[in-house]
Amino acid sequence: MFSQNGEILGRLIALHAQAADGLAYKQKITDEACGAGVRALGEAFNVDSMKAVLSQLPVTEIEKIANSYELQAKSVLGGGGRHTQGDNLDLPNGALSGSTPGNPQAAQDDDEETQRLKAREAAIATLKSTGRGNLIKEG
């Protein structure tokens, strides 16, 4: 009889650990879904109400809702990516279209050494303009 009680207790402990992991995962995807909802709907998204609703749903449904909000957010916010270059804060033509910007260096036919020198010069200029000129190694 003692052996059976020990087995039951061991199984209960294992199940308790699995349940705690499941609750932590459910909380994580709920937070992710609400974050995506805020990105998609902005101030109109009521995080507290949605958390209350999502807490009643199974994990698979929360994942579906999170994916739906994420797709909405991407359509609202666009593909992301940097649209400005250097200190020039003017957006290039088409920057608000939602597509990611192209690589401004892609059209250059410079050899590898020229590209390396240009990159070094750009890095030095950036360090100087941000007050980090003391990090520049001379040589």
Side-chain angles (χ1 to χ4, degrees), residues 3-79:
S3 167
Q4 268 186 330
N5 287 341
E7 287 177 28
I8 292 172
L9 183 58
R11 287 183 182 174
L12 284 174
I13 290 170
L15 287 172
H16 180 54
Q18 289 176 350
D21 289 345
L23 288 173
Y25 178 70
K26 188 172 184 175
Q27 181 63 47
K28 177 186 172 196
I29 62 169
T30 297
D31 290 343
E32 289 174 359
C34 288
V38 168
R39 287 189 298 280
L41 302 173
E43 300 276 334
F45 189 82
N46 188 325
V47 174
D48 294 331
S49 294
M50 185 52 74
K51 281 186 177 184
V53 170
L54 294 177
S55 72
Q56 304 300 312
L57 297 176
V59 168
T60 55
E61 292 302 312
I62 299 170
E63 289 171 332
K64 289 176 188 175
I65 291 170
N67 289 337
S68 173
Y69 280 136
E70 196 60 47
L71 289 173
Q72 289 176 8
K74 284 182 181 178
S75 71
V76 169
L77 299 175

